[in-house]
Amino acid sequence: MQPHYGPTNPSPESQVAAGVRRYAGFVELDPAKERLYRELHADVWPEVVAACKRANIQNYHIWIQTIGARKFLFRSFEYTGSDPDADFALAGEDPTTREKWWPLTDGCMLGVQGRPRGEEWTDAELVMFMP
């Protein structure tokens, strides 16, 4: 189905013009790793926070939700830069994030069926935003 844009669902172009793009996604959480995931995110390492800030990422949220017998992580964040591909790659170049944080956190995710390894998070489409 094609997106439908309006006052409470800004188009990607109008998000760019406003200087803030919103991203969201979801992934299944390994129930055996839930405790570790919660512990890691209760006090995110300063290097990881700094890498996100350098990548123009702000207002990052992650929620856990049980659906049926499975648990899912839902994330959302705002991006305020002008080149998300370059900035997101920059965050991935941070050695602490790439070599220490992601191996721990990615190990807590089961992914969503059909997603390739390394692309566990599935993007979600924005259909409503109310500031």
Side-chain angles (χ1 to χ4, degrees), residues 18-93:
V20 178
R21 291 181 238 190
R22 290 166 184 85
Y23 290 83
F26 63 96
V27 67
E28 188 170 354
L29 175 64
D30 181 344
K33 304 279 183 82
E34 181 178 351
R35 176 182 291 283
L36 172 61
Y37 194 85
R38 287 178 180 273
E39 289 172 356
L40 288 167
H41 288 83
D43 190 13
V44 176
W45 302 344
E47 299 90 344
V48 174
V49 172
C52 287
K53 289 183 185 291
R54 282 191 305 274
N56 297 303
I57 295 170
Q58 65 183 24
N59 294 323
Y60 200 122
H61 302 82
I62 299 175
W63 294 270
I64 293 178
Q65 176 63 48
T66 302
I67 301 174
R70 298 159 59 191
K71 292 200 176 192
F72 290 86
L73 301 170
F74 295 87
R75 72 173 178 191
S76 66
F77 61 88
E78 296 174 338
Y79 171 73
T80 58
S82 60
D83 187 348
D85 292 335
D87 283 343
F88 297 165
L90 176 68
E93 292 171 7

Coordinates of all heavy atoms in Angstrom, one line a residue, residues 18-93:
A18 N 12.1 20.0 7.6 CA 12.0 20.4 9.0 C 13.3 20.2 9.8 O 13.4 20.6 11.0 CB 10.8 19.7 9.6
G19 N 14.2 19.4 9.3 CA 15.5 19.2 9.9 C 15.5 18.0 10.9 O 16.5 17.8 11.6
V20 N 14.4 17.2 10.9 CA 14.3 16.0 11.8 C 13.6 14.9 11.0 O 12.5 15.1 10.6 CB 13.5 16.3 13.1 CG1 13.5 15.1 13.9 CG2 14.2 17.4 13.9
R21 N 14.3 13.8 10.9 CA 13.7 12.6 10.3 C 13.5 11.6 11.5 O 14.4 11.4 12.3 CB 14.6 12.0 9.3 CG 14.7 12.8 8.1 CD 15.6 12.2 7.0 NE 16.7 13.1 6.7 CZ 17.5 13.0 5.7 NH1 17.5 11.9 5.0 NH2 18.4 13.9 5.5
R22 N 12.5 10.9 11.5 CA 12.2 9.9 12.5 C 12.3 8.5 11.9 O 11.8 8.2 10.8 CB 10.8 10.2 13.1 CG 10.8 11.4 13.9 CD 9.4 12.0 14.2 NE 9.6 13.2 14.9 CZ 9.7 14.4 14.3 NH1 9.7 14.5 13.0 NH2 9.9 15.5 15.0
Y23 N 12.9 7.6 12.7 CA 13.1 6.3 12.3 C 12.5 5.4 13.4 O 12.6 5.7 14.6 CB 14.6 6.0 12.2 CG 15.3 6.6 11.0 CD1 15.7 8.0 11.1 CD2 15.4 6.0 9.8 CE1 16.3 8.6 10.0 CE2 16.0 6.6 8.7 CZ 16.5 7.9 8.8 OH 17.0 8.5 7.7
A24 N 12.1 4.2 13.0 CA 11.6 3.2 13.9 C 11.8 1.8 13.4 O 11.9 1.7 12.2 CB 10.1 3.4 14.2
G25 N 11.8 0.8 14.2 CA 12.0 -0.5 13.8 C 11.7 -1.5 14.9 O 11.5 -1.1 16.1
F26 N 11.7 -2.8 14.6 CA 11.5 -3.8 15.6 C 12.3 -5.0 15.3 O 12.8 -5.2 14.2 CB 10.0 -4.2 15.7 CG 9.5 -4.7 14.4 CD1 9.4 -6.1 14.2 CD2 9.1 -3.9 13.3 CE1 8.9 -6.6 13.0 CE2 8.6 -4.4 12.2 CZ 8.5 -5.8 12.0
V27 N 12.5 -5.9 16.3 CA 13.3 -7.1 16.2 C 12.8 -8.0 17.3 O 12.4 -7.5 18.4 CB 14.8 -6.8 16.3 CG1 15.2 -6.3 17.7 CG2 15.6 -8.0 15.9
E28 N 12.9 -9.3 17.2 CA 12.6 -10.2 18.2 C 13.7 -10.3 19.2 O 14.9 -10.4 18.8 CB 12.2 -11.6 17.7 CG 11.7 -12.5 18.7 CD 11.1 -13.8 18.2 OE1 11.0 -14.0 17.0 OE2 10.7 -14.7 19.1
L29 N 13.4 -10.4 20.5 CA 14.4 -10.5 21.6 C 14.5 -12.0 22.0 O 13.5 -12.7 22.1 CB 13.9 -9.7 22.8 CG 14.7 -9.7 24.1 CD1 16.1 -9.2 23.8 CD2 14.0 -9.0 25.2
D30 N 15.7 -12.4 22.2 CA 15.9 -13.8 22.7 C 15.6 -13.8 24.2 O 16.2 -13.1 24.9 CB 17.4 -14.1 22.5 CG 17.7 -15.5 23.0 OD1 16.9 -16.2 23.7 OD2 18.8 -16.0 22.6
P31 N 14.5 -14.5 24.6 CA 14.1 -14.5 26.0 C 15.2 -14.9 26.9 O 15.3 -14.4 28.1 CB 12.9 -15.4 26.0 CG 12.9 -16.2 24.8 CD 13.7 -15.4 23.8
A32 N 16.1 -15.7 26.5 CA 17.2 -16.2 27.3 C 18.2 -15.0 27.6 O 19.0 -15.1 28.5 CB 17.9 -17.4 26.7
K33 N 18.2 -14.0 26.8 CA 19.1 -12.9 26.9 C 18.5 -11.6 27.3 O 19.1 -10.5 27.3 CB 19.8 -12.6 25.5 CG 20.5 -13.8 24.9 CD 21.9 -14.0 25.5 CE 22.6 -15.2 24.9 NZ 23.3 -14.9 23.7
E34 N 17.2 -11.7 27.7 CA 16.5 -10.4 28.1 C 17.2 -9.7 29.3 O 17.3 -8.5 29.3 CB 15.0 -10.8 28.5 CG 14.3 -9.5 28.9 CD 12.8 -9.8 29.2 OE1 12.3 -10.9 28.9 OE2 12.2 -8.8 29.7
R35 N 17.6 -10.5 30.3 CA 18.2 -9.8 31.5 C 19.5 -9.1 31.0 O 19.7 -7.9 31.4 CB 18.6 -10.9 32.5 CG 19.3 -10.2 33.7 CD 19.8 -11.3 34.8 NE 18.7 -11.8 35.5 CZ 18.0 -11.2 36.5 NH1 18.3 -10.0 36.8 NH2 17.0 -11.8 37.1
L36 N 20.3 -9.7 30.2 CA 21.5 -9.0 29.7 C 21.2 -7.7 29.0 O 21.8 -6.7 29.2 CB 22.4 -9.9 28.9 CG 23.6 -9.3 28.1 CD1 24.6 -8.7 29.1 CD2 24.2 -10.3 27.2
Y37 N 20.2 -7.8 28.1 CA 19.8 -6.7 27.3 C 19.3 -5.6 28.1 O 19.7 -4.4 27.9 CB 18.7 -7.1 26.3 CG 18.5 -6.1 25.2 CD1 19.3 -6.1 24.0 CD2 17.5 -5.1 25.3 CE1 19.1 -5.2 23.1 CE2 17.3 -4.2 24.3 CZ 18.1 -4.2 23.2 OH 18.0 -3.2 22.2
R38 N 18.5 -5.9 29.1 CA 18.0 -4.8 30.1 C 19.2 -4.2 30.8 O 19.2 -3.0 31.0 CB 17.0 -5.4 31.0 CG 15.6 -5.7 30.3 CD 14.7 -6.3 31.4 NE 13.4 -6.6 30.8 CZ 12.4 -5.8 30.7 NH1 12.5 -4.5 31.1 NH2 11.2 -6.2 30.2
E39 N 20.1 -5.0 31.3 CA 21.2 -4.5 32.1 C 22.1 -3.6 31.2 O 22.5 -2.5 31.7 CB 22.1 -5.7 32.6 CG 21.4 -6.4 33.7 CD 22.1 -7.7 34.1 OE1 23.2 -8.1 33.5 OE2 21.7 -8.4 35.1
L40 N 22.4 -4.0 30.0 CA 23.2 -3.2 29.1 C 22.5 -1.8 28.8 O 23.2 -0.8 28.8 CB 23.4 -3.9 27.8 CG 24.4 -5.0 27.8 CD1 24.3 -5.8 26.5 CD2 25.8 -4.6 28.0
H41 N 21.2 -1.8 28.7 CA 20.5 -0.6 28.3 C 20.1 0.3 29.5 O 19.7 1.4 29.4 CB 19.3 -0.9 27.4 CG 19.8 -1.3 26.0 ND1 20.2 -2.6 25.7 CD2 19.9 -0.5 24.9 CE1 20.6 -2.6 24.5 NE2 20.4 -1.4 23.9
A42 N 20.3 -0.3 30.7 CA 20.0 0.5 31.9 C 21.1 1.6 32.1 O 20.9 2.6 32.8 CB 19.9 -0.4 33.1
D43 N 22.3 1.3 31.5 CA 23.4 2.2 31.6 C 24.3 2.1 30.4 O 25.4 1.5 30.4 CB 24.2 1.9 32.9 CG 25.3 3.0 33.2 OD1 25.2 4.1 32.6 OD2 26.1 2.7 34.0
V44 N 23.8 2.7 29.3 CA 24.5 2.6 28.0 C 25.9 3.2 28.1 O 26.0 4.3 28.7 CB 23.7 3.2 26.9 CG1 24.4 3.2 25.5 CG2 22.3 2.5 26.7
W45 N 26.9 2.6 27.6 CA 28.2 3.0 27.7 C 28.4 4.4 27.1 O 27.8 4.7 26.0 CB 29.2 2.1 27.0 CG 29.1 0.6 27.5 CD1 28.6 0.2 28.6 CD2 29.6 -0.5 26.8 NE1 28.7 -1.2 28.7 CE2 29.4 -1.6 27.6 CE3 30.3 -0.7 25.6 CZ2 29.7 -2.9 27.3 CZ3 30.6 -2.0 25.2 CH2 30.4 -3.1 26.1
P46 N 29.2 5.3 27.7 CA 29.3 6.6 27.3 C 29.9 6.7 25.8 O 29.5 7.6 25.1 CB 30.4 7.3 28.2 CG 30.3 6.4 29.5 CD 29.9 5.0 29.0
E47 N 30.7 5.8 25.4 CA 31.3 5.8 24.1 C 30.2 5.5 23.0 O 30.2 6.1 21.9 CB 32.4 4.7 23.9 CG 33.6 4.9 24.8 CD 33.4 4.1 26.2 OE1 32.3 3.8 26.5 OE2 34.4 4.0 26.8
V48 N 29.2 4.7 23.4 CA 28.1 4.4 22.5 C 27.2 5.6 22.4 O 26.8 6.0 21.3 CB 27.3 3.1 22.9 CG1 26.1 2.9 22.1 CG2 28.3 1.9 22.9
V49 N 26.9 6.2 23.5 CA 26.1 7.5 23.5 C 26.8 8.5 22.6 O 26.1 9.2 21.8 CB 25.8 7.9 24.9 CG1 25.1 9.3 24.9 CG2 25.0 6.9 25.7
A50 N 28.1 8.7 22.8 CA 28.8 9.7 22.1 C 28.8 9.4 20.6 O 28.7 10.3 19.7 CB 30.3 9.8 22.6
A51 N 28.9 8.1 20.2 CA 28.9 7.8 18.8 C 27.5 8.1 18.2 O 27.4 8.6 17.0 CB 29.2 6.3 18.6
C52 N 26.4 7.9 18.9 CA 25.1 8.2 18.4 C 25.0 9.7 18.3 O 24.5 10.2 17.2 CB 24.0 7.7 19.4 SG 23.8 5.9 19.4
K53 N 25.5 10.5 19.2 CA 25.4 12.0 19.1 C 26.2 12.5 17.9 O 25.8 13.4 17.2 CB 25.8 12.6 20.4 CG 24.8 12.4 21.5 CD 25.3 13.1 22.8 CE 24.3 12.8 24.0 NZ 23.0 13.3 23.8
R54 N 27.4 11.9 17.7 CA 28.2 12.3 16.6 C 27.5 12.0 15.2 O 27.7 12.7 14.2 CB 29.6 11.6 16.6 CG 30.6 12.2 17.5 CD 32.0 11.7 17.3 NE 32.1 10.2 17.3 CZ 32.2 9.5 18.4 NH1 32.3 10.1 19.6 NH2 32.3 8.2 18.4
A55 N 26.6 11.0 15.3 CA 25.9 10.6 14.1 C 24.6 11.3 14.0 O 23.7 11.0 13.1 CB 25.6 9.1 14.1
N56 N 24.4 12.4 14.8 CA 23.2 13.2 14.7 C 21.9 12.5 15.1 O 20.8 12.7 14.6 CB 23.0 13.9 13.3 CG 24.2 14.8 13.0 OD1 24.4 15.8 13.8 ND2 24.9 14.6 12.0
I57 N 22.1 11.5 16.0 CA 20.9 10.7 16.5 C 20.6 11.3 17.9 O 21.4 11.5 18.7 CB 21.3 9.2 16.6 CG1 21.5 8.7 15.2 CG2 20.2 8.5 17.3 CD1 22.1 7.3 15.2
Q58 N 19.3 11.5 18.1 CA 18.8 12.0 19.4 C 17.4 11.3 19.7 O 16.8 10.7 18.9 CB 18.6 13.5 19.4 CG 17.6 14.0 18.4 CD 17.5 15.5 18.3 OE1 18.4 16.2 18.6 NE2 16.3 16.0 17.9
N59 N 17.0 11.5 20.9 CA 15.7 11.0 21.4 C 15.5 9.5 21.0 O 14.5 9.1 20.4 CB 14.6 11.8 20.9 CG 14.6 13.2 21.5 OD1 14.9 13.4 22.7 ND2 14.2 14.2 20.7
Y60 N 16.5 8.7 21.3 CA 16.5 7.3 21.0 C 15.7 6.5 22.1 O 16.0 6.7 23.3 CB 18.0 6.8 20.9 CG 18.2 5.5 20.2 CD1 19.0 5.4 19.1 CD2 17.5 4.3 20.6 CE1 19.2 4.2 18.4 CE2 17.7 3.1 19.9 CZ 18.5 3.1 18.8 OH 18.7 1.9 18.1
H61 N 14.8 5.7 21.7 CA 13.9 4.9 22.6 C 13.9 3.5 22.2 O 13.9 3.2 21.0 CB 12.5 5.4 22.6 CG 12.3 6.9 23.0 ND1 12.5 7.9 22.1 CD2 12.0 7.5 24.1 CE1 12.2 9.0 22.6 NE2 11.9 8.8 23.9
I62 N 13.9 2.6 23.2 CA 13.7 1.2 22.9 C 12.7 0.7 24.0 O 12.8 0.9 25.2 CB 15.0 0.3 23.0 CG1 16.0 0.8 22.0 CG2 14.7 -1.2 22.8 CD1 17.4 0.1 22.2
W63 N 11.7 -0.1 23.5 CA 10.6 -0.7 24.3 C 10.7 -2.2 24.1 O 11.0 -2.7 23.1 CB 9.2 -0.2 23.9 CG 9.0 1.3 24.2 CD1 8.5 1.9 25.3 CD2 9.2 2.3 23.2 NE1 8.4 3.2 25.1 CE2 8.8 3.5 23.8 CE3 9.7 2.4 21.9 CZ2 8.9 4.8 23.2 CZ3 9.7 3.6 21.3 CH2 9.3 4.8 21.9
I64 N 10.2 -2.9 25.2 CA 10.0 -4.3 25.1 C 8.5 -4.6 25.2 O 7.9 -4.1 26.0 CB 10.8 -5.1 26.2 CG1 12.3 -5.0 26.0 CG2 10.4 -6.6 26.2 CD1 13.1 -5.6 27.1
Q65 N 8.1 -5.5 24.3 CA 6.6 -5.8 24.3 C 6.5 -7.3 24.0 O 7.1 -7.9 23.1 CB 5.9 -5.0 23.2 CG 4.4 -5.4 23.1 CD 3.6 -5.1 24.3 OE1 3.7 -4.0 24.9 NE2 2.9 -6.1 24.8
T66 N 5.6 -8.0 24.8 CA 5.3 -9.4 24.6 C 4.1 -9.4 23.6 O 3.1 -8.8 23.9 CB 5.0 -10.1 25.9 OG1 6.1 -10.0 26.8 CG2 4.7 -11.5 25.7
I67 N 4.3 -10.2 22.6 CA 3.2 -10.5 21.6 C 3.1 -12.0 21.5 O 4.0 -12.7 21.1 CB 3.4 -9.8 20.3 CG1 3.6 -8.3 20.4 CG2 2.3 -10.2 19.3 CD1 4.1 -7.6 19.1
G68 N 1.9 -12.5 21.9 CA 1.8 -14.0 22.0 C 2.8 -14.5 23.0 O 2.9 -14.0 24.2
A69 N 3.6 -15.4 22.7 CA 4.6 -16.0 23.6 C 6.0 -15.4 23.3 O 7.0 -15.9 23.8 CB 4.6 -17.5 23.4
R70 N 6.1 -14.4 22.4 CA 7.4 -13.9 22.0 C 7.5 -12.5 22.4 O 6.6 -11.7 22.6 CB 7.5 -14.0 20.4 CG 7.4 -15.4 20.0 CD 7.0 -15.6 18.5 NE 7.9 -14.9 17.6 CZ 7.6 -14.7 16.3 NH1 6.4 -15.2 15.8 NH2 8.4 -14.1 15.5
K71 N 8.8 -12.1 22.6 CA 9.1 -10.7 23.0 C 9.8 -10.0 21.9 O 10.6 -10.5 21.2 CB 10.0 -10.7 24.3 CG 9.3 -11.2 25.5 CD 10.0 -10.8 26.7 CE 9.1 -11.3 27.9 NZ 9.5 -10.7 29.1
F72 N 9.4 -8.7 21.7 CA 10.0 -7.9 20.7 C 10.5 -6.6 21.3 O 10.0 -6.1 22.3 CB 8.9 -7.5 19.6 CG 8.5 -8.7 18.8 CD1 7.5 -9.6 19.3 CD2 9.1 -9.0 17.6 CE1 7.1 -10.7 18.5 CE2 8.8 -10.1 16.9 CZ 7.8 -11.0 17.3
L73 N 11.6 -6.1 20.6 CA 12.1 -4.8 20.9 C 11.6 -3.8 19.8 O 11.6 -4.2 18.6 CB 13.6 -4.8 20.9 CG 14.3 -5.8 21.8 CD1 15.8 -5.8 21.5 CD2 14.1 -5.3 23.3
F74 N 11.1 -2.6 20.3 CA 10.7 -1.6 19.3 C 11.6 -0.4 19.6 O 11.7 0.0 20.8 CB 9.2 -1.3 19.5 CG 8.3 -2.4 19.2 CD1 8.0 -3.4 20.1 CD2 7.8 -2.5 17.9 CE1 7.2 -4.5 19.8 CE2 7.0 -3.6 17.6 CZ 6.7 -4.6 18.5
R75 N 12.1 0.2 18.6 CA 13.0 1.4 18.8 C 12.5 2.5 17.9 O 11.8 2.3 16.9 CB 14.4 1.1 18.4 CG 14.6 0.9 16.9 CD 16.1 0.8 16.5 NE 16.2 0.6 15.1 CZ 17.3 0.3 14.5 NH1 18.4 0.1 15.1 NH2 17.3 0.2 13.1
S76 N 12.8 3.7 18.4 CA 12.6 4.9 17.6 C 13.6 5.9 17.9 O 14.1 5.9 19.0 CB 11.2 5.5 17.8 OG 11.0 6.0 19.1
F77 N 14.0 6.8 17.0 CA 14.9 7.8 17.2 C 14.7 8.9 16.2 O 14.1 8.7 15.1 CB 16.4 7.3 17.2 CG 16.9 6.7 15.9 CD1 17.4 7.5 14.9 CD2 16.8 5.3 15.8 CE1 17.9 6.9 13.7 CE2 17.2 4.7 14.6 CZ 17.8 5.5 13.6
E78 N 15.3 10.1 16.5 CA 15.3 11.2 15.6 C 16.7 11.4 15.0 O 17.7 11.3 15.7 CB 14.8 12.5 16.3 CG 13.4 12.4 16.8 CD 13.0 13.6 17.6 OE1 13.9 14.3 18.2 OE2 11.8 13.8 17.8
Y79 N 16.7 11.8 13.7 CA 18.0 12.1 13.1 C 17.9 13.5 12.6 O 17.0 13.9 11.9 CB 18.2 11.1 11.9 CG 19.3 11.5 11.0 CD1 20.6 11.3 11.5 CD2 19.2 12.1 9.8 CE1 21.7 11.6 10.7 CE2 20.2 12.5 9.0 CZ 21.5 12.2 9.4 OH 22.6 12.6 8.7
T80 N 19.0 14.3 12.9 CA 19.0 15.7 12.6 C 20.1 16.1 11.6 O 20.2 17.3 11.4 CB 19.1 16.6 13.9 OG1 20.4 16.2 14.6 CG2 18.0 16.3 14.9
G81 N 20.8 15.2 11.1 CA 21.8 15.5 10.1 C 21.3 15.6 8.7 O 20.1 15.6 8.5
S82 N 22.2 15.7 7.7 CA 21.8 15.9 6.3 C 22.1 14.6 5.5 O 21.7 14.6 4.3 CB 22.4 17.1 5.7 OG 23.9 17.0 5.8
D83 N 22.9 13.7 6.0 CA 23.3 12.5 5.2 C 23.2 11.3 6.1 O 24.2 10.9 6.7 CB 24.7 12.7 4.7 CG 25.1 11.6 3.7 OD1 24.5 10.6 3.6 OD2 26.2 11.8 3.1
P84 N 22.0 10.7 6.3 CA 21.9 9.6 7.2 C 22.8 8.4 6.9 O 23.4 7.8 7.8 CB 20.4 9.2 7.1 CG 19.9 9.8 5.9 CD 20.8 11.0 5.6
D85 N 23.0 8.1 5.6 CA 23.8 6.9 5.3 C 25.3 7.1 5.8 O 25.8 6.3 6.5 CB 23.9 6.7 3.8 CG 22.5 6.1 3.3 OD1 21.7 5.6 4.1 OD2 22.3 6.3 2.1
A86 N 25.8 8.3 5.6 CA 27.1 8.6 6.0 C 27.2 8.7 7.6 O 28.2 8.2 8.2 CB 27.6 9.9 5.4
D87 N 26.2 9.3 8.2 CA 26.3 9.4 9.6 C 26.1 8.1 10.3 O 26.7 7.8 11.3 CB 25.2 10.4 10.1 CG 25.6 11.9 9.9 OD1 26.8 12.1 9.7 OD2 24.8 12.8 9.9
F88 N 25.2 7.3 9.8 CA 24.9 6.0 10.5 C 26.2 5.1 10.3 O 26.6 4.3 11.2 CB 23.7 5.3 9.9 CG 22.4 6.0 10.2 CD1 21.3 5.7 9.5 CD2 22.3 7.0 11.1 CE1 20.1 6.3 9.7 CE2 21.1 7.7 11.3 CZ 20.0 7.4 10.6
A89 N 26.9 5.2 9.1 CA 28.1 4.5 8.9 C 29.2 5.0 9.9 O 30.0 4.2 10.4 CB 28.6 4.7 7.5
L90 N 29.2 6.3 10.1 CA 30.1 6.9 11.1 C 30.0 6.3 12.5 O 30.9 5.9 13.2 CB 30.0 8.4 11.2 CG 30.8 9.2 12.2 CD1 32.3 9.1 11.8 CD2 30.3 10.6 12.3
A91 N 28.7 6.1 12.9 CA 28.4 5.5 14.2 C 29.0 4.1 14.2 O 29.5 3.6 15.2 CB 27.0 5.5 14.5
G92 N 28.9 3.4 13.1 CA 29.4 2.0 13.0 C 30.9 1.9 13.0 O 31.4 0.8 13.2
E93 N 31.5 3.0 12.7 CA 33.0 3.0 12.7 C 33.6 3.2 14.1 O 34.8 3.0 14.3 CB 33.5 4.1 11.8 CG 33.2 3.9 10.3 CD 33.5 5.1 9.5 OE1 34.1 6.1 9.9 OE2 33.2 5.0 8.3

